[in-house]
Coordinates of all heavy atoms in Angstrom, one line a residue:
M1 N 43.8 130.4 98.5 CA 42.8 130.9 99.5 C 42.8 130.0 100.7 O 42.8 128.8 100.6 CB 41.4 130.9 98.8 CG 40.4 131.5 99.7 SD 38.9 132.0 98.7 CE 38.3 130.4 98.2
N2 N 43.0 130.6 101.9 CA 43.0 129.9 103.1 C 41.7 130.0 103.8 O 41.4 131.0 104.5 CB 44.2 130.5 104.0 CG 44.4 129.6 105.2 OD1 43.5 128.9 105.7 ND2 45.6 129.6 105.7
D3 N 40.9 128.9 103.7 CA 39.5 129.0 104.2 C 39.4 129.1 105.7 O 38.6 129.8 106.2 CB 38.8 127.7 103.8 CG 38.5 127.6 102.3 OD1 38.7 128.6 101.6 OD2 38.0 126.5 101.8
T4 N 40.3 128.5 106.4 CA 40.3 128.6 107.9 C 40.6 130.1 108.3 O 39.9 130.6 109.2 CB 41.4 127.7 108.5 OG1 41.1 126.4 108.0 CG2 41.3 127.7 110.0
K5 N 41.5 130.7 107.7 CA 41.8 132.1 108.1 C 40.6 133.0 107.8 O 40.3 133.9 108.5 CB 43.1 132.6 107.4 CG 44.3 132.0 108.0 CD 45.6 132.6 107.4 CE 46.8 132.0 108.1 NZ 48.0 132.6 107.5
I6 N 40.0 132.8 106.6 CA 38.9 133.6 106.2 C 37.7 133.4 107.2 O 37.1 134.3 107.6 CB 38.4 133.2 104.7 CG1 39.5 133.7 103.8 CG2 37.1 133.8 104.4 CD1 39.4 133.1 102.4
Y7 N 37.5 132.1 107.5 CA 36.4 131.8 108.4 C 36.7 132.5 109.8 O 35.7 133.1 110.3 CB 36.4 130.2 108.7 CG 35.4 129.8 109.7 CD1 34.1 129.4 109.3 CD2 35.7 129.7 111.0 CE1 33.2 129.0 110.2 CE2 34.8 129.3 111.9 CZ 33.5 128.9 111.5 OH 32.6 128.5 112.4
N8 N 37.9 132.4 110.3 CA 38.2 133.1 111.6 C 38.0 134.6 111.5 O 37.5 135.2 112.4 CB 39.6 132.7 112.0 CG 39.7 131.3 112.4 OD1 38.8 130.7 112.8 ND2 41.0 130.8 112.4
L9 N 38.5 135.2 110.4 CA 38.3 136.7 110.3 C 36.8 137.1 110.2 O 36.4 138.1 110.8 CB 39.0 137.2 109.0 CG 40.4 137.6 109.2 CD1 41.1 137.9 107.8 CD2 40.5 138.9 110.0
L10 N 36.0 136.3 109.5 CA 34.6 136.6 109.4 C 33.9 136.5 110.7 O 33.1 137.3 111.1 CB 33.9 135.7 108.4 CG 34.1 136.1 106.9 CD1 33.6 135.0 106.0 CD2 33.5 137.4 106.6
S11 N 34.4 135.4 111.5 CA 33.8 135.2 112.8 C 34.2 136.3 113.7 O 33.4 136.8 114.5 CB 34.4 133.9 113.3 OG 33.8 133.6 114.6
M12 N 35.4 136.8 113.7 CA 35.9 137.9 114.5 C 35.1 139.2 114.1 O 34.7 140.0 115.0 CB 37.4 138.2 114.4 CG 38.2 137.2 115.1 SD 40.0 137.6 115.3 CE 40.5 137.7 113.6
A13 N 34.9 139.4 112.8 CA 34.2 140.6 112.4 C 32.8 140.6 112.9 O 32.3 141.6 113.4 CB 34.2 140.7 110.9
Q14 N 32.2 139.5 112.9 CA 30.8 139.3 113.4 C 30.8 139.6 114.9 O 29.9 140.4 115.4 CB 30.2 137.9 113.2 CG 28.9 137.7 113.8 CD 27.8 138.5 113.2 OE1 27.8 139.0 112.1 NE2 26.8 138.8 114.0
R15 N 31.7 139.1 115.7 CA 31.7 139.3 117.1 C 32.0 140.8 117.4 O 31.6 141.3 118.4 CB 32.8 138.4 117.8 CG 32.4 137.0 117.9 CD 33.2 136.1 118.8 NE 34.7 136.2 118.5 CZ 35.3 135.4 117.7 NH1 34.7 134.4 117.0 NH2 36.6 135.5 117.5
A16 N 32.7 141.5 116.5 CA 33.0 142.9 116.7 C 31.9 143.8 116.2 O 32.0 145.0 116.2 CB 34.3 143.3 116.0
N17 N 30.8 143.1 115.7 CA 29.7 143.9 115.2 C 30.0 144.7 114.0 O 29.5 145.8 113.8 CB 29.0 144.7 116.3 CG 27.5 145.0 116.0 OD1 26.9 144.2 115.3 ND2 27.0 146.1 116.5
K18 N 30.9 144.2 113.1 CA 31.3 144.9 111.9 C 30.8 144.2 110.6 O 31.5 144.2 109.6 CB 32.8 145.0 111.9 CG 33.4 145.7 113.0 CD 32.9 147.2 113.1 CE 33.5 147.9 114.2 NZ 33.0 149.3 114.3
V19 N 29.7 143.4 110.7 CA 29.1 142.7 109.6 C 27.7 143.0 109.5 O 26.9 143.1 110.5 CB 29.3 141.2 109.9 CG1 28.5 140.4 108.9 CG2 30.8 140.8 109.8
A20 N 27.2 143.2 108.2 CA 25.8 143.3 107.9 C 25.5 142.1 107.1 O 26.1 141.9 106.0 CB 25.5 144.6 107.2
S21 N 24.6 141.3 107.5 CA 24.3 140.1 106.8 C 22.9 140.0 106.4 O 22.0 140.5 107.1 CB 24.7 138.8 107.6 OG 23.9 138.7 108.7
G22 N 22.6 139.3 105.3 CA 21.2 139.2 104.8 C 21.0 140.3 103.8 O 21.7 141.3 103.8
D23 N 20.0 140.1 103.0 CA 19.8 141.1 101.9 C 19.5 142.5 102.3 O 20.1 143.4 101.9 CB 18.6 140.5 101.0 CG 18.4 141.3 99.7 OD1 19.4 141.5 99.0 OD2 17.3 141.8 99.5
F24 N 18.5 142.7 103.2 CA 18.1 144.0 103.6 C 19.3 144.8 104.3 O 19.6 145.9 103.9 CB 16.9 143.9 104.6 CG 16.5 145.3 105.1 CD1 15.7 146.1 104.3 CD2 16.8 145.7 106.3 CE1 15.3 147.3 104.7 CE2 16.4 146.9 106.8 CZ 15.6 147.8 106.0
A25 N 20.0 144.1 105.2 CA 21.0 144.8 105.9 C 22.2 145.1 105.0 O 22.8 146.2 105.1 CB 21.5 143.9 107.1
A26 N 22.5 144.2 104.1 CA 23.7 144.4 103.2 C 23.3 145.5 102.2 O 24.2 146.4 101.9 CB 24.0 143.1 102.4
V27 N 22.1 145.6 101.7 CA 21.7 146.6 100.7 C 21.8 148.0 101.4 O 22.4 148.9 100.9 CB 20.3 146.4 100.2 CG1 19.8 147.7 99.5 CG2 20.3 145.2 99.2
K28 N 21.3 148.0 102.7 CA 21.4 149.3 103.4 C 22.8 149.7 103.7 O 23.1 150.9 103.5 CB 20.6 149.1 104.8 CG 20.5 150.3 105.6 CD 19.7 150.1 106.8 CE 19.6 151.3 107.7 NZ 19.0 151.1 108.9
A29 N 23.7 148.8 104.0 CA 25.1 149.1 104.3 C 25.8 149.7 103.0 O 26.5 150.6 103.1 CB 25.8 147.9 104.8
V30 N 25.5 149.1 101.9 CA 26.1 149.5 100.6 C 25.5 150.9 100.3 O 26.3 151.8 99.9 CB 25.9 148.5 99.5 CG1 26.3 149.1 98.2 CG2 26.6 147.2 99.8
Q31 N 24.2 151.1 100.3 CA 23.6 152.3 100.0 C 24.1 153.5 100.9 O 24.2 154.6 100.4 CB 22.1 152.2 100.0 CG 21.6 151.4 98.9 CD 20.1 151.2 99.0 OE1 19.4 151.3 100.0 NE2 19.5 150.8 97.8
E32 N 24.3 153.2 102.1 CA 24.7 154.2 103.1 C 26.2 154.4 103.1 O 26.8 155.1 103.9 CB 24.2 153.9 104.5 CG 22.7 154.0 104.6 CD 22.2 153.6 106.0 OE1 23.0 153.1 106.9 OE2 21.0 153.7 106.2
K33 N 26.9 153.7 102.2 CA 28.4 153.7 102.0 C 29.1 153.3 103.3 O 30.2 153.8 103.6 CB 28.8 155.1 101.6 CG 28.1 155.5 100.3 CD 28.9 156.6 99.6 CE 28.2 157.1 98.3 NZ 27.9 156.1 97.3
K34 N 28.5 152.4 104.1 CA 29.2 151.9 105.3 C 29.9 150.6 104.9 O 30.8 150.2 105.7 CB 28.1 151.6 106.3 CG 27.5 152.8 106.9 CD 26.5 152.5 108.0 CE 25.8 153.7 108.5 NZ 24.8 153.4 109.5
A35 N 29.6 149.9 103.9 CA 30.2 148.6 103.5 C 31.6 148.9 102.9 O 31.7 149.8 102.1 CB 29.3 147.9 102.5
R36 N 32.5 148.1 103.3 CA 33.9 148.2 102.8 C 34.2 147.0 101.8 O 35.1 147.1 101.0 CB 34.9 148.2 103.9 CG 34.7 149.3 104.9 CD 35.1 150.6 104.3 NE 34.9 151.7 105.2 CZ 34.1 152.7 105.1 NH1 33.3 152.8 104.0 NH2 34.0 153.6 106.0
L37 N 33.4 145.9 102.0 CA 33.6 144.7 101.2 C 32.3 144.0 101.2 O 31.6 143.9 102.2 CB 34.7 143.9 101.8 CG 35.0 142.5 101.2 CD1 35.6 142.6 99.8 CD2 36.0 141.7 102.1
V38 N 32.0 143.4 100.0 CA 30.8 142.6 99.9 C 31.2 141.1 99.5 O 31.9 140.9 98.6 CB 29.8 143.1 98.9 CG1 28.6 142.2 98.7 CG2 29.3 144.5 99.3
L39 N 30.7 140.2 100.3 CA 30.9 138.8 100.0 C 29.5 138.1 99.6 O 28.6 138.2 100.4 CB 31.5 138.1 101.2 CG 32.8 138.6 101.8 CD1 33.1 138.0 103.1 CD2 33.9 138.5 100.7
V40 N 29.5 137.5 98.5 CA 28.3 136.8 98.0 C 28.5 135.3 97.9 O 29.6 134.9 97.4 CB 27.8 137.4 96.6 CG1 26.6 136.7 96.1 CG2 27.6 138.9 96.7
A41 N 27.6 134.5 98.4 CA 27.7 133.1 98.3 C 27.8 132.6 96.9 O 27.0 133.2 96.0 CB 26.6 132.4 99.1
S42 N 28.6 131.7 96.6 CA 28.8 131.2 95.2 C 27.5 130.6 94.7 O 27.3 130.5 93.5 CB 30.0 130.3 95.1 OG 29.8 129.2 96.0
D43 N 26.7 130.1 95.6 CA 25.4 129.4 95.1 C 24.2 130.3 95.3 O 23.1 129.9 95.2 CB 25.2 128.1 95.9 CG 25.0 128.3 97.4 OD1 25.3 129.3 97.9 OD2 24.5 127.3 98.0
A44 N 24.4 131.6 95.4 CA 23.3 132.6 95.5 C 22.6 132.6 94.1 O 23.2 132.3 93.1 CB 23.8 134.0 95.9
A45 N 21.4 133.1 94.1 CA 20.6 133.2 92.9 C 21.3 134.2 91.9 O 22.0 135.1 92.3 CB 19.2 133.7 93.2
D46 N 21.2 133.9 90.6 CA 21.8 134.8 89.6 C 21.4 136.2 89.8 O 22.2 137.1 89.6 CB 21.5 134.2 88.2 CG 22.3 133.0 87.9 OD1 23.3 132.7 88.6 OD2 21.8 132.2 87.0
E47 N 20.1 136.4 90.1 CA 19.6 137.8 90.2 C 20.3 138.5 91.4 O 20.6 139.7 91.3 CB 18.1 137.8 90.4 CG 17.3 137.5 89.2 CD 17.6 138.6 88.1 OE1 17.6 139.8 88.4 OE2 17.8 138.2 86.9
T48 N 20.5 137.7 92.5 CA 21.2 138.3 93.6 C 22.7 138.7 93.3 O 23.1 139.8 93.6 CB 21.2 137.3 94.8 OG1 19.9 136.9 95.1 CG2 22.0 137.8 96.0
K49 N 23.3 137.8 92.5 CA 24.7 138.1 92.1 C 24.8 139.3 91.2 O 25.6 140.2 91.4 CB 25.3 136.9 91.4 CG 25.6 135.7 92.2 CD 26.1 134.5 91.4 CE 26.4 133.3 92.2 NZ 26.8 132.2 91.4
K50 N 23.8 139.4 90.3 CA 23.8 140.6 89.4 C 23.5 141.9 90.2 O 24.2 142.9 90.0 CB 22.7 140.4 88.3 CG 23.1 139.4 87.3 CD 21.9 139.3 86.3 CE 22.2 138.1 85.4 NZ 21.0 137.8 84.5
K51 N 22.6 141.8 91.1 CA 22.2 143.0 91.9 C 23.4 143.5 92.7 O 23.7 144.7 92.7 CB 21.1 142.5 92.9 CG 20.7 143.5 93.9 CD 19.6 142.9 94.8 CE 19.3 143.7 96.0 NZ 18.3 143.1 96.9
Y52 N 24.1 142.6 93.4 CA 25.2 143.0 94.2 C 26.4 143.4 93.4 O 27.2 144.3 93.7 CB 25.6 142.0 95.3 CG 24.6 142.1 96.4 CD1 23.5 141.2 96.5 CD2 24.7 143.1 97.4 CE1 22.6 141.3 97.5 CE2 23.8 143.2 98.4 CZ 22.8 142.3 98.5 OH 21.8 142.4 99.5
Q53 N 26.6 142.8 92.2 CA 27.7 143.1 91.3 C 27.5 144.6 90.9 O 28.4 145.4 90.9 CB 27.8 142.2 90.1 CG 28.9 142.5 89.1 CD 30.2 142.1 89.7 OE1 30.4 141.1 90.3 NE2 31.2 142.9 89.5
H54 N 26.3 144.9 90.5 CA 26.0 146.3 90.0 C 26.1 147.3 91.2 O 26.7 148.3 91.0 CB 24.5 146.3 89.5 CG 24.1 147.6 89.1 ND1 24.6 148.2 87.9 CD2 23.2 148.5 89.6 CE1 24.0 149.4 87.8 NE2 23.2 149.6 88.8
M55 N 25.6 147.0 92.3 CA 25.7 147.9 93.5 C 27.1 148.1 93.9 O 27.5 149.2 94.2 CB 24.9 147.3 94.7 CG 23.4 147.4 94.5 SD 22.5 146.6 95.9 CE 23.1 147.5 97.3
A56 N 27.9 147.1 93.9 CA 29.3 147.2 94.3 C 30.1 148.0 93.3 O 30.9 148.9 93.7 CB 30.0 145.8 94.4
E57 N 29.9 147.8 92.0 CA 30.5 148.6 91.0 C 30.2 150.1 91.2 O 31.1 150.9 91.1 CB 30.2 148.1 89.6 CG 30.8 146.8 89.2 CD 30.3 146.3 87.9 OE1 29.5 146.9 87.2 OE2 30.7 145.1 87.6
E58 N 28.9 150.4 91.4 CA 28.5 151.8 91.5 C 29.1 152.4 92.7 O 29.4 153.6 92.7 CB 27.0 151.9 91.5 CG 26.3 151.5 90.2 CD 25.1 152.4 89.9 OE1 24.6 153.1 90.8 OE2 24.7 152.4 88.7
A59 N 29.2 151.7 93.8 CA 29.7 152.2 95.1 C 31.2 152.2 95.2 O 31.8 152.7 96.1 CB 29.1 151.5 96.3
G60 N 31.9 151.5 94.2 CA 33.3 151.3 94.3 C 33.8 150.4 95.4 O 34.9 150.6 95.9
I61 N 33.0 149.4 95.6 CA 33.3 148.4 96.7 C 33.7 147.1 96.0 O 33.1 146.7 95.0 CB 32.1 148.2 97.6 CG1 31.7 149.5 98.2 CG2 32.4 147.1 98.6 CD1 30.3 149.4 98.9
K62 N 34.7 146.4 96.6 CA 35.1 145.1 96.1 C 34.1 144.1 96.4 O 33.5 144.1 97.5 CB 36.5 144.7 96.6 CG 37.6 145.6 96.1 CD 38.9 145.1 96.6 CE 40.1 146.0 96.1 NZ 41.4 145.5 96.5
L63 N 33.9 143.1 95.5 CA 32.9 142.1 95.7 C 33.6 140.7 95.4 O 34.3 140.7 94.4 CB 31.7 142.3 94.8 CG 30.6 141.2 94.9 CD1 29.3 141.8 94.9 CD2 30.8 140.2 93.8
Y64 N 33.4 139.8 96.2 CA 34.0 138.4 96.0 C 32.9 137.4 96.2 O 32.0 137.6 97.0 CB 35.1 138.1 97.0 CG 36.4 138.9 96.8 CD1 36.6 140.1 97.4 CD2 37.3 138.4 95.9 CE1 37.7 140.8 97.2 CE2 38.5 139.1 95.6 CZ 38.7 140.3 96.3 OH 39.8 141.1 96.1
Y65 N 33.0 136.3 95.4 CA 32.1 135.2 95.6 C 32.8 134.2 96.4 O 34.0 133.8 96.1 CB 31.7 134.6 94.2 CG 31.0 135.6 93.4 CD1 31.6 136.3 92.4 CD2 29.6 135.9 93.6 CE1 30.9 137.3 91.7 CE2 28.9 136.8 92.9 CZ 29.6 137.5 91.9 OH 28.9 138.5 91.2
L66 N 32.2 133.7 97.5 CA 32.9 133.0 98.5 C 32.0 131.9 99.1 O 30.8 132.3 99.5 CB 33.4 133.9 99.6 CG 34.2 133.4 100.7 CD1 35.6 133.0 100.3 CD2 34.4 134.5 101.8
F67 N 32.4 130.7 99.3 CA 31.7 129.6 100.0 C 30.3 129.5 99.4 O 30.0 130.0 98.3 CB 31.6 129.9 101.5 CG 32.9 130.1 102.2 CD1 33.1 131.1 103.1 CD2 33.9 129.2 102.0 CE1 34.3 131.2 103.8 CE2 35.1 129.3 102.7 CZ 35.3 130.3 103.5
N68 N 29.5 128.7 100.0 CA 28.1 128.6 99.6 C 27.3 129.2 100.7 O 27.8 129.7 101.7 CB 27.7 127.1 99.4 CG 27.8 126.2 100.6 OD1 27.5 126.6 101.7 ND2 28.3 125.0 100.4
R69 N 26.0 129.3 100.6 CA 25.1 130.0 101.5 C 25.2 129.5 102.9 O 25.3 130.2 103.9 CB 23.7 130.0 101.1 CG 23.4 130.9 99.9 CD 22.0 130.8 99.4 NE 21.8 129.5 99.0 CZ 20.6 129.0 98.7 NH1 19.5 129.7 98.8 NH2 20.5 127.7 98.3
E70 N 25.3 128.2 103.0 CA 25.3 127.5 104.4 C 26.7 127.8 105.0 O 26.7 128.2 106.2 CB 25.2 126.0 104.3 CG 25.1 125.3 105.6 CD 24.9 123.8 105.5 OE1 24.7 123.3 104.4 OE2 24.9 123.2 106.5
E71 N 27.8 127.7 104.3 CA 29.1 128.0 104.8 C 29.3 129.5 105.2 O 29.9 129.8 106.2 CB 30.2 127.6 103.8 CG 30.3 126.1 103.6 CD 31.1 125.7 102.4 OE1 31.2 126.5 101.5 OE2 31.7 124.6 102.4
L72 N 28.8 130.3 104.3 CA 28.9 131.8 104.6 C 28.2 132.2 105.9 O 28.7 132.9 106.7 CB 28.4 132.6 103.4 CG 28.7 134.1 103.4 CD1 30.2 134.4 103.5 CD2 28.2 134.7 102.1
G73 N 27.0 131.6 106.0 CA 26.2 131.9 107.2 C 26.9 131.3 108.5 O 26.9 131.9 109.5
H74 N 27.4 130.1 108.3 CA 28.1 129.5 109.4 C 29.3 130.3 109.9 O 29.5 130.3 111.1 CB 28.5 128.0 109.0 CG 29.1 127.2 110.2 ND1 28.3 126.8 111.2 CD2 30.3 126.8 110.4 CE1 29.1 126.1 112.0 NE2 30.3 126.1 111.6
C75 N 30.0 130.9 109.0 CA 31.1 131.7 109.4 C 30.8 132.8 110.4 O 31.6 133.2 111.2 CB 31.8 132.4 108.2 SG 32.6 131.3 107.1
I76 N 29.6 133.3 110.3 CA 29.1 134.4 111.1 C 28.1 134.0 112.2 O 27.5 134.8 112.8 CB 28.6 135.6 110.3 CG1 27.4 135.2 109.5 CG2 29.7 136.2 109.5 CD1 26.7 136.4 108.8
G77 N 28.0 132.7 112.4 CA 27.1 132.2 113.4 C 25.6 132.3 113.1 O 24.8 132.3 114.0
K78 N 25.3 132.3 111.8 CA 23.9 132.4 111.4 C 23.6 131.1 110.6 O 24.4 130.3 110.3 CB 23.7 133.6 110.5 CG 24.1 134.9 111.1 CD 23.2 135.4 112.2 CE 23.7 136.8 112.7 NZ 22.9 137.2 113.8
E79 N 22.3 131.0 110.1 CA 22.0 129.9 109.2 C 22.5 130.3 107.8 O 23.6 130.6 107.7 CB 20.5 129.7 109.3 CG 20.0 129.2 110.7 CD 19.4 127.8 110.6 OE1 19.1 127.4 109.5 OE2 19.3 127.2 111.7
F80 N 21.6 130.2 106.9 CA 22.0 130.5 105.5 C 22.1 132.0 105.3 O 21.2 132.8 105.7 CB 21.0 129.9 104.5 CG 20.8 128.4 104.7 CD1 19.8 127.9 105.5 CD2 21.7 127.6 104.0 CE1 19.6 126.6 105.6 CE2 21.5 126.2 104.1 CZ 20.5 125.7 104.9
R81 N 23.2 132.4 104.6 CA 23.3 133.8 104.2 C 23.9 133.9 102.8 O 24.9 133.3 102.5 CB 24.3 134.6 105.1 CG 23.8 134.8 106.5 CD 22.7 135.9 106.4 NE 22.2 136.3 107.8 CZ 21.2 135.8 108.4 NH1 20.5 134.8 107.8 NH2 20.8 136.2 109.6
A82 N 23.2 134.6 101.9 CA 23.6 134.7 100.5 C 24.6 135.9 100.4 O 25.4 135.9 99.5 CB 22.4 134.9 99.6
V83 N 24.5 136.8 101.3 CA 25.4 138.0 101.2 C 25.8 138.5 102.6 O 25.0 138.5 103.5 CB 24.7 139.1 100.4 CG1 23.4 139.6 101.1 CG2 25.6 140.3 100.1
V84 N 27.0 139.0 102.7 CA 27.6 139.5 103.9 C 28.4 140.8 103.5 O 29.2 140.7 102.5 CB 28.6 138.5 104.6 CG1 29.3 139.2 105.7 CG2 27.8 137.3 105.1
A85 N 28.1 141.9 104.2 CA 28.9 143.1 103.9 C 29.8 143.4 105.1 O 29.3 143.3 106.3 CB 27.9 144.3 103.8
I86 N 31.0 143.6 104.9 CA 32.0 143.9 105.9 C 32.0 145.4 106.1 O 32.2 146.2 105.1 CB 33.4 143.4 105.6 CG1 33.3 141.9 105.3 CG2 34.4 143.6 106.7 CD1 32.8 141.0 106.4
L87 N 31.9 145.9 107.3 CA 31.7 147.3 107.6 C 33.0 148.0 108.1 O 33.1 149.2 108.2 CB 30.6 147.5 108.7 CG 29.3 146.9 108.4 CD1 28.3 147.1 109.5 CD2 28.7 147.4 107.1
D88 N 34.0 147.2 108.4 CA 35.3 147.7 108.9 C 36.4 147.6 107.9 O 36.6 146.6 107.3 CB 35.6 147.0 110.2 CG 36.9 147.5 110.8 OD1 36.8 148.5 111.5 OD2 37.9 146.8 110.6
K89 N 37.1 148.7 107.7 CA 38.2 148.7 106.7 C 39.3 147.7 107.0 O 39.8 147.0 106.2 CB 38.8 150.1 106.6 CG 39.8 150.3 105.5 CD 40.4 151.7 105.4 CE 41.4 151.9 104.3 NZ 42.1 150.9 103.8
G90 N 39.7 147.6 108.3 CA 40.7 146.7 108.7 C 40.3 145.2 108.4 O 41.1 144.5 107.8
F91 N 39.1 144.8 108.8 CA 38.7 143.4 108.4 C 38.6 143.3 106.9 O 39.0 142.2 106.4 CB 37.3 143.1 109.1 CG 37.4 142.8 110.5 CD1 36.7 143.6 111.5 CD2 38.1 141.7 111.0 CE1 36.8 143.4 112.8 CE2 38.1 141.4 112.4 CZ 37.5 142.3 113.3
A92 N 38.1 144.3 106.2 CA 37.9 144.2 104.8 C 39.3 144.0 104.1 O 39.5 143.1 103.2 CB 37.2 145.4 104.2
D93 N 40.3 144.8 104.5 CA 41.6 144.7 103.9 C 42.3 143.4 104.2 O 42.9 142.8 103.3 CB 42.5 145.8 104.5 CG 42.1 147.2 104.0 OD1 41.3 147.3 103.0 OD2 42.6 148.2 104.6
A94 N 42.1 142.9 105.4 CA 42.7 141.6 105.8 C 42.0 140.4 105.0 O 42.7 139.5 104.5 CB 42.5 141.3 107.3
L95 N 40.7 140.5 104.7 CA 40.0 139.5 103.9 C 40.5 139.6 102.5 O 40.7 138.5 101.8 CB 38.5 139.7 104.0 CG 37.9 139.2 105.3 CD1 36.5 139.7 105.5 CD2 37.9 137.6 105.3
V96 N 40.6 140.8 101.9 CA 41.0 140.9 100.5 C 42.4 140.3 100.3 O 42.7 139.6 99.3 CB 41.0 142.4 100.1 CG1 41.7 142.6 98.8 CG2 39.6 142.9 100.0
K97 N 43.3 140.5 101.3 CA 44.7 139.9 101.2 C 44.6 138.4 101.1 O 45.4 137.7 100.4 CB 45.5 140.3 102.4 CG 46.0 141.7 102.4 CD 46.9 142.0 103.6 CE 47.3 143.4 103.6 NZ 48.0 143.8 104.8
L98 N 43.6 137.8 101.9 CA 43.5 136.3 101.8 C 42.8 135.8 100.6 O 42.9 134.7 100.2 CB 42.7 135.9 103.1 CG 43.4 136.0 104.4 CD1 42.5 135.7 105.6 CD2 44.7 135.2 104.5
L99 N 42.0 136.7 100.0 CA 41.2 136.3 98.8 C 42.0 136.5 97.6 O 41.8 135.9 96.5 CB 39.9 137.1 98.8 CG 38.9 136.8 99.9 CD1 37.8 137.8 99.9 CD2 38.3 135.4 99.8

């Protein structure tokens, strides 16, 4: 896993407005079938992990555990983020290749 490339891709996706971050926005993106990939911080609460694992399975979306909350948030120019949903297929595919 190449952390620098992942960081850069997440940053570009955020600048392109192709990211939904935070619990409310990510849930909405998954439920509306806009999310192409879900990234959950490795130090997120167990309930959060279970919730998104279940939602991703039901929606047929890939889910990865990546970084911690601080690092995941920093990638997209925010503070702490436990979950990030990628809304663009191109960014999602590029991230999956790196993961």
Side-chain angles (χ1 to χ4, degrees):
M1 186 163 65
N2 189 332
D3 289 352
T4 304
K5 287 184 180 181
I6 292 168
Y7 178 90
N8 289 337
L9 267 173
L10 284 171
S11 183
M12 283 192 300
Q14 174 65 28
R15 287 192 307 269
N17 204 25
K18 300 297 181 185
V19 170
S21 68
D23 187 53
F24 180 77
V27 167
K28 185 176 177 186
V30 172
Q31 289 175 341
E32 293 178 355
K33 303 201 184 302
K34 292 180 180 178
R36 303 289 181 242
L37 173 68
V38 176
L39 304 173
V40 178
S42 57
D43 64 344
D46 288 338
E47 285 300 314
T48 301
K49 289 178 180 178
K50 288 178 190 174
K51 172 182 167 181
Y52 282 97
Q53 182 72 40
H54 178 72
M55 286 176 59
E57 286 173 5
E58 290 219 345
I61 300 169
K62 291 184 182 183
L63 179 139
Y64 289 93
Y65 298 100
L66 181 70
F67 303 132
N68 61 40
R69 289 177 297 169
E70 184 177 358
E71 292 167 333
L72 190 57
H74 186 70
C75 289
I76 59 169
K78 307 284 185 188
E79 294 244 345
F80 300 96
R81 287 292 186 263
V83 62
V84 171
I86 305 300
L87 308 177
D88 180 79
K89 186 179 182 340
F91 283 118
D93 291 344
L95 284 163
V96 167
K97 284 181 187 177
L98 293 172
L99 297 168

